[in-house]
Amino acid sequence: MLPAGLLGDRFGRRRMLVAGLAIMLVGSLAGTLAGDPATLIAARAVMGLGAALVTPLAMAVLPTLFDPDERARAIAALTAALAAGMPLGPLLGGLLLDHFWWGSIFLLNVPLIGVAIAACVLLLPESHDPAAPRLDPLGTLIGVGGLGLLVFGVIEAPARGWTEPVVLGPLVGSLPLLAWLVLRDLRRPVPVLGLGLLADRGFRSAALVGTVASLAMAGLLFVVPQYLGAVRGHDAFATGLRLMPMMGGLLFAARACQPVTRLLGPRATVAGGLALLAFAGLLGATTDTDSGYGLAAAWLSVTGLGVGFALIPSMDAALGALPADRAGSGSGLLMTVRQVGSAVGVALLGSLLAQGYRDRLDTTGLPAEAADTARESVVAARLVAERGGDPGLAAAADTAFLHGMGLALFATALVAGVGAVFGGLLLPGRGVAPPGDRDGQ
């Protein structure tokens, strides 16, 4: 994502957006035809490469298409569209899997991407920055290596232990690479990755708060499909259907966000949204084995409201703080910061959930091999219980998972609560002007 915005600035945002969609199209076709896991994983990597171009550039074109008054509505529509994929993915995927072969979930992308490419070509004007700097392939590799090592270490830590060389080595090794990346970019006459934009207080504050909102949303959504699928026993279609309250809350917030922001200002709106996310996490943490779907629907609805009120104004404030000629690289940096925060956050929350599950699961009386399998996940424990005719193990696994889920949701609530405080202190009361406007230029 970091060089994606620069590619758009240099070669044309519409052109690179279409290129990203085309790459996703190729990856989807390869995934549809994949006959083994290695091919499927490779196809997913290609899809990810295309998505890395599409995600920041979809945001980068907004400042060139809409004036500040309309931009917030455009961001609300884009955020709602992105969020719609979360419940619609398992909903449509489950429906297709019930009637067709598994590759149909990727084949569905093909007509959708075709429509998107046509819309970009026919409706989207080209925009670019003739003065954009040249690419920095080495800097991109350093960034990928540093972030990859960091996320790998965090993910592997619960199973292997934080002090194991295979965990500690990547974590420690990521630090000099990331530091090198920052210093390398800041020392260039014209920064390539745009890291210097973080020196601007308005952009930095909005990016930080947006990252917290993304992390909280990702953390809340990380546990829900597992809870609905593994503990409540719903299939993919039913799980997607039960995620719809979050979509309803987000759509309501997307419609109400602009008038609320005009009335209260972005500071109060974003802080209130993060406070709602914190409340959703605390409410979800009270879930136990006797809780019905009503409780999950309630905190999913609050999650949607919180995401809408926190993310939309913070993204608008961040884009408003960008100079017009840095829309691409600035959006790439913004989306990268958000995605990295979410990835590391979900890795940490997943580690917390896994550790809480393992610590609480009672495997007394099980053979060593079966006990090790049961400790891998609640799904594995349920399979062991089914094969061994041990309903007590299934119940214990559900209880242990809910304990770990409660820890993860409480941690998410804590992060969102801290973000609400910082949002209330750092964000502007009304609006953010681009650096050139603030300097009187």
Side-chain angles (χ1 to χ4, degrees):
M1 284 190 180
L2 274 174
L6 177 60
L7 286 169
D9 286 346
R10 187 170 177 83
F11 300 109
R13 292 163 192 140
R14 182 182 67 178
R15 182 179 291 113
M16 298 312 301
L17 190 56
V18 170
L21 289 167
I23 292 171
M24 289 185 67
L25 180 63
V26 172
S28 297
L29 287 172
T32 300
L33 302 173
D36 57 84
T39 305
L40 177 60
I41 292 170
R44 292 293 287 164
V46 173
M47 293 181 220
L49 180 63
L53 284 171
V54 171
T55 304
L57 291 174
M59 190 72 71
V61 299
L62 297 184
T64 63
L65 291 175
F66 303 97
D67 59 37
D69 291 335
E70 293 180 316
R71 190 180 58 221
R73 294 169 60 188
I75 292 174
L78 181 59
T79 302
L82 291 172
M86 296 174 186
L88 289 179
L91 194 67
L92 293 175
L95 189 63
L96 289 170
L97 290 174
D98 285 343
H99 297 88
F100 304 100
W101 89 111
W102 67 267
S104 63
I105 62 176
F106 298 120
L107 187 62
L108 179 66
N109 292 346
V110 174
L112 296 177
I113 294 174
V115 171
I117 291 175
C120 288
V121 172
L122 297 175
L123 303 177
L124 191 65
E126 185 61 278
S127 62
H128 66 283
D129 174 21
R134 299 178 67 86
L135 298 179
D136 181 16
L138 178 59
T140 300
L141 291 175
I142 294 170
V144 170
L147 294 173
L149 289 173
L150 176 65
V151 175
F152 175 83
V154 172
I155 290 176
E156 292 297 315
R160 302 175 182 266
W162 289 91
T163 58
E164 288 296 311
V166 73
V167 172
L168 196 58
L171 289 176
V172 174
S174 68
L175 300 179
L177 286 176
L178 294 176
W180 185 15
L181 174 69
V182 174
L183 293 175
R184 177 183 175 83
D185 198 59
L186 295 179
R187 287 175 177 174
R188 296 175 70 93
V190 181
V192 173
L193 301 180
L195 298 178
L197 290 170
L198 293 173
D200 180 79
R201 182 177 181 272
F203 181 82
R204 181 178 65 249
S205 301
L208 176 62
V209 173
T211 300
V212 171
S214 298
L215 189 157
M217 177 180 68
L220 291 167
L221 289 175
F222 174 72
V223 300
V224 179
Q226 299 180 67
Y227 165 67
L228 293 174
V231 177
R232 305 299 299 182
H234 300 300
D235 60 17
F237 178 79
T239 295
L241 198 62
R242 284 163 176 78
L243 289 173
M244 294 306 289
M246 186 205 71
M247 187 63 194
L250 196 146
L251 288 176
F252 177 85
R255 292 293 300 271
C257 190
Q258 195 171 22
V260 170
T261 304
R262 278 199 300 263
L263 179 66
L264 302 177
R267 178 189 300 162
T269 305
V270 171
L274 288 171
L276 285 173
L277 281 172
F279 175 71
L282 292 175
L283 192 62
T286 65
T287 304
D288 58 30
T289 53
D290 297 324
S291 298
Y293 172 67
L295 178 62
W299 62 270
L300 282 173
S301 300
V302 177
T303 298
L305 288 171
V307 168
F309 284 121
L311 200 54
I312 294 169
S314 63
M315 292 300 97
D316 185 40
L319 291 180
L322 287 173
D325 59 350
R326 302 304 302 274
S329 57
S331 296
L333 176 62
L334 177 65
M335 299 304 292
T336 300
V337 170
R338 280 183 50 197
Q339 290 291 335
V340 169
S342 297
V344 174
V346 168
L348 288 170
L349 292 171
S351 299
L352 188 61
L353 187 153
Q355 195 64 53
Y357 168 78
R358 292 190 184 97
D359 290 345
R360 184 59 63 94
L361 182 64
D362 183 7
T363 57
T364 304
L366 286 178
E369 185 177 353
D372 291 340
T373 301
R375 280 192 289 267
E376 290 179 3
S377 69
V378 63
V379 175
R382 280 180 160 270
L383 288 173
V384 171
E386 181 180 346
R387 291 170 182 171
D390 187 356
L393 176 61
D398 290 348
T399 301
F401 177 84
L402 290 174
H403 170 69
M405 180 176 113
L407 293 177
L409 291 177
F410 183 80
T412 302
L414 182 62
V415 170
V418 173
V421 173
F422 277 97
L425 294 174
L426 298 177
L427 286 178
R430 287 295 165 188
V432 179
D437 294 341
R438 292 197 295 272
D439 296 338
Q441 298 176 6

